[in-house]
Amino acid sequence: MTFDHIDLFRIDLNLLVALDALLAERSVTRAAARIGIGQSAMSSALARLRVLFGDELLTRAPDGMRPTPRALALSEPLRALLRQVQGLVRRDEAFDPRTVVRTFTISLPDSTEVLLATRLLAHLRREAPGISLLLRAVDRAHILEEIDADRVDLAVDLSFRGQMHHKQRLLYRDSYVCLFNAAQVGLTPPISLDDYLRFPHVLTSLRGTAHGVVDDALARLGLARTLAATSPRFVAVPFLVRAAPVLTTMHARLAHLFAETLGLTVSPAPVALDEVAVAMLWHASYDDDPAHRWLRDLLRRLADEPAVLS
């Protein structure tokens, strides 16, 4: 495909960088801060962009600036184009984790933070001390939007339902087990279904609802359990279990880690529960980014190592 070099030469590539920031932040002030220019310079860039594309691109709304349909259509191709340009410029640069300086924003639940981020941080301090982590709680309702806006580099959680421009890779599969304080409940594994229902349970619910996969499985059997407490934090639940005569059902990797650390007991769950798949998700524009690819490969390797709390 041929193109007009003179016409392209007239386009200021910095305008496209500004447009990407404006679409991500939907605020002139925040977009200016994102790329390190003044607010007046960003306002001027927006005015030039409107002339270039013959469209308002962003219009004022009560909650900030709202992209027009044309701007929304430009968002993904623009992000891919800028990544390709960046890749062309950096293609000859050898990636060395020992010297790279970069911050990665990773969204993940606290359970995965305990299991995986601990090993990741230890590895980075040894092998890539210039890489720092900004760890955030995963917001399942808005994670795709955050990935698209470049506010999150990588998300780790149960399998995602993304779009064509979202890439996903399995980290590991996990099963469910029952966790309890044997001294509190007087049980030894494997526990029976009758014992499972005889004691009240602690449920982890990120949505704040008092219903989980265990309740669905029991309902299929015409049964129900009693809940003593519901918490949005996976890592708080073992401490609740240690303190009271209650049971909890959680992912096996986390349960075994806390059983060893807190002196708790693990038993197979006496009700059939499907395995869960834990995956990482990122924007396709980062596919060929050397540092991003290195981080993804590292996380995949670390996921196979045993979790240990010292």
Side-chain angles (χ1 to χ4, degrees):
M1 177 181 177
T2 59
F3 51 84
D4 189 333
H5 288 82
I6 296 176
D7 190 46
L8 283 175
F9 187 74
R10 294 193 183 103
I11 298 174
D12 183 353
L13 179 61
N14 288 325
L15 288 178
L16 301 184
V17 176
L19 178 57
D20 182 68
L22 285 163
L23 292 176
E25 298 294 346
R26 302 189 182 185
S27 160
V28 170
T29 302
R30 292 196 300 271
R34 185 182 183 120
I35 62 176
I37 63 175
Q39 183 175 342
S40 61
M42 182 58 75
S43 295
S44 175
L46 177 56
R48 293 171 63 193
L49 283 163
R50 285 167 170 163
V51 172
L52 178 64
F53 287 99
D55 188 87
E56 281 296 294
L57 297 176
L58 291 113
T59 59
R60 295 192 180 278
D63 56 347
M65 301 194 76
R66 187 170 298 163
T68 65
R70 176 78 191 281
L72 290 174
L74 288 169
S75 179
E76 289 307 322
L78 175 62
R79 177 64 56 79
L81 173 63
L82 292 178
R83 287 293 170 204
Q84 288 176 347
V85 172
Q86 190 173 60
L88 286 173
V89 173
R90 293 181 175 178
R91 189 166 299 278
D92 293 332
E93 297 180 7
F95 172 71
D96 185 351
R98 295 169 298 179
T99 59
V100 69
V101 176
R102 185 161 173 178
T103 298
F104 283 101
T105 300
I106 304 177
S107 288
L108 70 176
D110 61 341
S111 56
T112 312
E113 188 171 345
V114 169
L115 287 171
L116 198 54
T118 48
R119 281 172 279 167
L120 174 60
L121 180 60
H123 185 95
L124 292 179
R125 299 323 299 164
R126 292 192 308 267
E127 306 295 337
I131 293 180
S132 60
L133 303 175
L134 177 55
L135 303 177
R136 298 172 44 180
V138 64
D139 181 352
R140 291 174 176 172
H142 300 101
I143 188 59
L144 298 183
E145 177 185 329
E146 291 184 326
I147 290 280
D148 290 346
D150 210 22
R151 291 191 290 268
V152 171
D153 295 298
L154 195 65
V156 179
D157 199 5
L158 305 183
S159 291
F160 302 88
R161 291 186 177 180
Q163 301 176 28
M164 290 293 292
H165 58 274
H166 297 129
K167 292 300 185 73
Q168 186 171 172
R169 184 178 182 184
L170 179 69
L171 281 174
Y172 60 87
R173 296 186 182 276
D174 209 351
S175 59
Y176 285 95
V177 296
C178 186
L179 184 70
F180 55 88
N181 184 343
Q184 290 276 6
V185 299
L187 298 176
T188 57
I191 64 172
S192 67
L193 182 57
D194 287 340
D195 286 334
Y196 190 69
L197 298 177
R198 183 161 56 91
F199 287 91
H201 290 232
V202 176
L203 167 69
T204 306
S205 174
L206 299 180
R207 295 174 296 178
T209 58
H211 190 91
V213 295
V214 170
D215 302 288
D216 291 332
L218 290 173
R220 289 192 288 269
L221 301 174
L223 302 171
R225 62 177 175 172
T226 300
L227 288 179
T230 301
S231 171
R233 288 169 288 275
F234 290 96
V235 296
V237 170
F239 293 92
L240 299 174
V241 168
R242 186 174 64 168
V246 295
L247 311 177
T248 192
T249 305
M250 64 168 51
H251 297 167
R253 290 186 179 212
L254 194 63
H256 284 288
L257 177 62
F258 280 116
E260 179 181 348
T261 306
L262 301 176
L264 301 175
T265 300
V266 172
S267 172
V271 59
L273 299 168
D274 292 336
E275 279 191 338
V276 293
V278 176
M280 52 185 166
L281 178 84
W282 66 95
H283 197 284
S285 61
Y286 281 107
D287 257 4
D288 296 323
D289 182 287
H292 202 286
R293 186 170 60 244
W294 177 84
L295 179 66
R296 299 194 307 264
D297 291 341
L298 173 60
L299 281 170
R300 182 63 191 86
R301 294 197 306 273
L302 293 177
D304 290 332
E305 295 180 3
V308 177
L309 283 182
S310 55

